[in-house]
Amino acid sequence: DPAQIEAAVAVADARLGGLDIAVANAGYELVRDALELTYEEWDAHQAVMLRGVYATFRSVLPGMVAQGSGSLIAIASSAWPTRRG
């Protein structure tokens, strides 16, 4: 939820005076038969794995750009749905 991320970043900025590093650690296990996987399940998976990381970095970047420095780290797992025999 981008609004929750932005609120957390605002609290961190207020308490710490800015952020020097942000880690987006995404994980969502979705390993099953690719032919049974629904588009809704795929979209939910991508929302966590990709959109969540983007929302985190988008929220912290304005402060890092303003201070002239910062580090972004993305950690994710990957497992492609497979057809099991």
Side-chain angles (χ1 to χ4, degrees):
D1 180 0
Q4 289 182 335
I5 295 169
E6 290 173 12
V9 170
V11 169
D13 284 344
R15 291 186 182 170
L16 304 172
L19 295 172
D20 296 317
I21 188 170
V23 177
N25 185 6
Y28 187 113
E29 186 172 347
L30 183 62
V31 179
R32 48 191 232 127
D33 190 322
L35 297 177
E36 295 176 5
L37 187 67
T38 67
Y39 285 104
E40 291 78 16
E41 290 170 322
W42 177 257
D43 290 343
H45 183 265
Q46 296 306 298
V48 171
M49 300 300 287
L50 299 176
R51 190 171 191 261
V53 172
Y54 172 74
T56 299
F57 290 167
R58 189 172 191 274
S59 295
V60 300
L61 274 171
M64 290 181 175
V65 170
Q67 70 189 20
S69 66
S71 296
L72 304 175
I73 299 171
I75 303 170
S77 60
S78 65
W80 186 257
T82 58
R83 179 138 179 98
R84 296 182 186 158

